[in-house]
Short mmCIF file of all heavy atoms in Angstrom, two decimals:
data_model
loop_
_atom_site.label_atom_id
_atom_site.label_comp_id
_atom_site.label_asym_id
_atom_site.label_seq_id
_atom_site.Cartn_x
_atom_site.Cartn_y
_atom_site.Cartn_z
N MET R 208 44.17 6.92 142.77
CA MET R 208 44.94 6.20 141.75
C MET R 208 44.41 4.79 141.51
O MET R 208 43.61 4.60 140.62
CB MET R 208 46.42 6.18 142.13
CG MET R 208 47.02 7.56 142.27
SD MET R 208 46.83 8.54 140.75
CE MET R 208 47.49 10.10 141.25
N SER R 209 44.85 3.82 142.26
CA SER R 209 44.51 2.43 142.00
C SER R 209 43.54 1.86 143.02
O SER R 209 43.40 0.64 143.14
CB SER R 209 45.77 1.56 141.98
OG SER R 209 46.46 1.63 143.22
N THR R 210 42.87 2.71 143.77
CA THR R 210 41.90 2.25 144.78
C THR R 210 40.57 2.97 144.52
O THR R 210 40.52 4.19 144.54
CB THR R 210 42.36 2.58 146.21
OG1 THR R 210 43.66 1.98 146.40
CG2 THR R 210 41.41 2.03 147.22
N PRO R 211 39.49 2.23 144.28
CA PRO R 211 39.37 0.78 144.17
C PRO R 211 40.11 0.26 142.93
O PRO R 211 40.30 0.98 141.96
CB PRO R 211 37.87 0.53 144.03
CG PRO R 211 37.22 1.84 144.30
CD PRO R 211 38.20 2.91 144.06
N THR R 212 40.50 -1.02 142.97
CA THR R 212 41.24 -1.61 141.87
C THR R 212 40.34 -1.82 140.65
O THR R 212 39.12 -1.73 140.73
CB THR R 212 41.82 -2.96 142.32
OG1 THR R 212 40.74 -3.85 142.66
CG2 THR R 212 42.74 -2.81 143.53
N ASN R 213 40.98 -2.08 139.54
CA ASN R 213 40.22 -2.31 138.31
C ASN R 213 39.29 -3.50 138.44
O ASN R 213 38.18 -3.48 137.91
CB ASN R 213 41.19 -2.54 137.13
CG ASN R 213 41.97 -1.29 136.77
OD1 ASN R 213 41.49 -0.16 136.96
ND2 ASN R 213 43.15 -1.47 136.23
N GLN R 214 39.73 -4.53 139.16
CA GLN R 214 38.88 -5.70 139.34
C GLN R 214 37.60 -5.35 140.10
O GLN R 214 36.51 -5.85 139.78
CB GLN R 214 39.64 -6.82 140.07
CG GLN R 214 40.77 -7.45 139.27
CD GLN R 214 42.06 -6.66 139.37
OE1 GLN R 214 42.08 -5.54 139.87
NE2 GLN R 214 43.14 -7.25 138.89
N ILE R 215 37.74 -4.50 141.11
CA ILE R 215 36.56 -4.12 141.89
C ILE R 215 35.61 -3.26 141.06
O ILE R 215 34.39 -3.45 141.09
CB ILE R 215 37.00 -3.35 143.16
CG1 ILE R 215 37.77 -4.29 144.11
CG2 ILE R 215 35.78 -2.75 143.88
CD1 ILE R 215 38.29 -3.61 145.33
N ILE R 216 36.18 -2.35 140.27
CA ILE R 216 35.33 -1.50 139.43
C ILE R 216 34.59 -2.33 138.38
O ILE R 216 33.38 -2.16 138.17
CB ILE R 216 36.19 -0.41 138.74
CG1 ILE R 216 36.66 0.62 139.78
CG2 ILE R 216 35.42 0.28 137.62
CD1 ILE R 216 37.52 1.71 139.21
N ILE R 217 35.30 -3.26 137.74
CA ILE R 217 34.65 -4.12 136.74
C ILE R 217 33.61 -5.02 137.39
O ILE R 217 32.50 -5.21 136.85
CB ILE R 217 35.70 -4.94 135.99
CG1 ILE R 217 36.59 -4.01 135.15
CG2 ILE R 217 35.03 -5.99 135.10
CD1 ILE R 217 37.74 -4.71 134.46
N GLY R 218 33.95 -5.58 138.56
CA GLY R 218 32.98 -6.44 139.25
C GLY R 218 31.73 -5.67 139.66
O GLY R 218 30.61 -6.16 139.48
N LEU R 219 31.93 -4.47 140.22
CA LEU R 219 30.78 -3.65 140.60
C LEU R 219 29.97 -3.27 139.37
O LEU R 219 28.74 -3.26 139.40
CB LEU R 219 31.28 -2.40 141.34
CG LEU R 219 30.20 -1.41 141.82
CD1 LEU R 219 29.21 -2.10 142.73
CD2 LEU R 219 30.85 -0.23 142.52
N GLY R 220 30.68 -2.95 138.28
CA GLY R 220 29.98 -2.60 137.05
C GLY R 220 29.15 -3.76 136.51
O GLY R 220 28.03 -3.57 136.03
N LEU R 221 29.68 -4.99 136.61
CA LEU R 221 28.94 -6.16 136.12
C LEU R 221 27.69 -6.41 136.95
O LEU R 221 26.60 -6.65 136.40
CB LEU R 221 29.84 -7.39 136.16
CG LEU R 221 30.88 -7.50 135.03
CD1 LEU R 221 31.80 -8.68 135.28
CD2 LEU R 221 30.22 -7.63 133.68
N PHE R 222 27.81 -6.33 138.28
CA PHE R 222 26.65 -6.60 139.12
C PHE R 222 25.60 -5.50 138.99
O PHE R 222 24.39 -5.76 139.04
CB PHE R 222 27.07 -6.78 140.57
CG PHE R 222 27.60 -8.15 140.87
CD1 PHE R 222 28.95 -8.38 140.96
CD2 PHE R 222 26.73 -9.22 141.02
CE1 PHE R 222 29.44 -9.65 141.23
CE2 PHE R 222 27.21 -10.50 141.28
CZ PHE R 222 28.58 -10.72 141.38
N LEU R 223 26.05 -4.26 138.83
CA LEU R 223 25.10 -3.17 138.58
C LEU R 223 24.41 -3.36 137.22
O LEU R 223 23.22 -3.06 137.07
CB LEU R 223 25.80 -1.82 138.62
CG LEU R 223 26.11 -1.24 140.00
CD1 LEU R 223 26.89 0.07 139.87
CD2 LEU R 223 24.82 -1.00 140.79
N THR R 224 25.17 -3.86 136.26
CA THR R 224 24.59 -4.14 134.96
C THR R 224 23.50 -5.21 135.04
O THR R 224 22.42 -5.08 134.46
CB THR R 224 25.69 -4.59 133.97
OG1 THR R 224 26.65 -3.54 133.82
CG2 THR R 224 25.08 -4.92 132.61
N PHE R 225 23.79 -6.29 135.79
CA PHE R 225 22.77 -7.33 135.97
C PHE R 225 21.53 -6.79 136.68
O PHE R 225 20.40 -7.16 136.38
CB PHE R 225 23.35 -8.50 136.77
CG PHE R 225 24.43 -9.26 136.04
CD1 PHE R 225 25.47 -9.83 136.72
CD2 PHE R 225 24.39 -9.37 134.66
CE1 PHE R 225 26.47 -10.52 136.05
CE2 PHE R 225 25.38 -10.07 133.97
CZ PHE R 225 26.43 -10.64 134.67
N PHE R 226 21.75 -5.88 137.65
CA PHE R 226 20.63 -5.30 138.39
C PHE R 226 19.77 -4.42 137.49
O PHE R 226 18.53 -4.53 137.50
CB PHE R 226 21.17 -4.50 139.58
CG PHE R 226 20.12 -3.70 140.29
CD1 PHE R 226 19.22 -4.31 141.15
CD2 PHE R 226 20.03 -2.33 140.10
CE1 PHE R 226 18.25 -3.57 141.80
CE2 PHE R 226 19.06 -1.58 140.76
CZ PHE R 226 18.17 -2.20 141.61
N ILE R 227 20.42 -3.56 136.71
CA ILE R 227 19.68 -2.62 135.87
C ILE R 227 19.03 -3.33 134.68
O ILE R 227 17.90 -3.02 134.29
CB ILE R 227 20.61 -1.48 135.39
CG1 ILE R 227 21.11 -0.67 136.59
CG2 ILE R 227 19.90 -0.57 134.40
CD1 ILE R 227 22.19 0.32 136.26
N MET R 228 19.75 -4.29 134.12
CA MET R 228 19.27 -4.97 132.92
C MET R 228 18.37 -6.16 133.24
O MET R 228 17.95 -6.87 132.30
CB MET R 228 20.47 -5.46 132.09
CG MET R 228 21.38 -4.37 131.59
SD MET R 228 20.61 -3.33 130.33
CE MET R 228 20.34 -4.52 129.02
N ALA R 229 18.06 -6.41 134.50
CA ALA R 229 17.24 -7.56 134.88
C ALA R 229 15.90 -7.62 134.13
O ALA R 229 15.51 -8.67 133.62
CB ALA R 229 17.01 -7.59 136.39
N PRO R 230 15.16 -6.48 134.01
CA PRO R 230 13.91 -6.55 133.23
C PRO R 230 14.12 -6.94 131.78
O PRO R 230 13.31 -7.66 131.19
CB PRO R 230 13.34 -5.13 133.37
CG PRO R 230 13.96 -4.58 134.60
CD PRO R 230 15.33 -5.17 134.64
N VAL R 231 15.22 -6.46 131.18
CA VAL R 231 15.52 -6.79 129.79
C VAL R 231 15.86 -8.26 129.66
O VAL R 231 15.37 -8.96 128.76
CB VAL R 231 16.67 -5.91 129.25
CG1 VAL R 231 17.01 -6.28 127.81
CG2 VAL R 231 16.30 -4.43 129.34
N PHE R 232 16.71 -8.78 130.57
CA PHE R 232 17.08 -10.19 130.52
C PHE R 232 15.86 -11.08 130.74
O PHE R 232 15.73 -12.13 130.09
CB PHE R 232 18.15 -10.49 131.58
CG PHE R 232 19.50 -9.89 131.28
CD1 PHE R 232 20.35 -9.51 132.29
CD2 PHE R 232 19.90 -9.70 129.97
CE1 PHE R 232 21.59 -8.96 132.02
CE2 PHE R 232 21.14 -9.14 129.68
CZ PHE R 232 21.99 -8.78 130.71
N ASP R 233 14.98 -10.69 131.67
CA ASP R 233 13.76 -11.47 131.90
C ASP R 233 12.90 -11.53 130.66
O ASP R 233 12.33 -12.57 130.32
CB ASP R 233 12.98 -10.87 133.07
CG ASP R 233 13.66 -11.06 134.41
OD1 ASP R 233 14.55 -11.94 134.50
OD2 ASP R 233 13.33 -10.32 135.35
N ARG R 234 12.81 -10.40 129.96
CA ARG R 234 11.99 -10.36 128.75
C ARG R 234 12.59 -11.22 127.65
O ARG R 234 11.87 -11.93 126.93
CB ARG R 234 11.86 -8.91 128.28
CG ARG R 234 10.62 -8.63 127.44
CD ARG R 234 10.46 -7.16 127.18
NE ARG R 234 10.25 -6.43 128.41
CZ ARG R 234 11.01 -5.42 128.83
NH1 ARG R 234 12.04 -5.03 128.11
NH2 ARG R 234 10.74 -4.80 129.96
N VAL R 235 13.92 -11.19 127.51
CA VAL R 235 14.58 -12.03 126.52
C VAL R 235 14.39 -13.50 126.85
O VAL R 235 14.13 -14.33 125.97
CB VAL R 235 16.08 -11.69 126.44
CG1 VAL R 235 16.82 -12.67 125.54
CG2 VAL R 235 16.27 -10.28 125.90
N TYR R 236 14.50 -13.83 128.13
CA TYR R 236 14.32 -15.23 128.54
C TYR R 236 12.90 -15.72 128.27
O TYR R 236 12.70 -16.82 127.74
CB TYR R 236 14.67 -15.37 130.02
CG TYR R 236 14.50 -16.78 130.55
CD1 TYR R 236 15.48 -17.76 130.33
CD2 TYR R 236 13.36 -17.13 131.27
CE1 TYR R 236 15.32 -19.06 130.80
CE2 TYR R 236 13.20 -18.42 131.75
CZ TYR R 236 14.17 -19.38 131.51
OH TYR R 236 14.00 -20.64 132.00
N ASP R 237 11.92 -14.91 128.63
CA ASP R 237 10.53 -15.33 128.49
C ASP R 237 10.08 -15.37 127.03
O ASP R 237 9.30 -16.24 126.63
CB ASP R 237 9.61 -14.39 129.27
CG ASP R 237 9.84 -14.48 130.77
OD1 ASP R 237 10.29 -15.53 131.24
OD2 ASP R 237 9.57 -13.46 131.47
#
Side-chain angles (χ1 to χ4, degrees):
M208 301 302 176
S209 60
T210 304
T212 61
N213 292 332
Q214 292 85 349
I215 293 177
I216 290 179
I217 293 175
L219 180 58
L221 284 174
F222 280 101
L223 281 177
T224 299
F225 293 148
F226 172 76
I227 296 171
M228 298 292 296
V231 179
F232 291 149
D233 290 341
R234 204 172 297 123
V235 172
Y236 179 80
D237 294 333

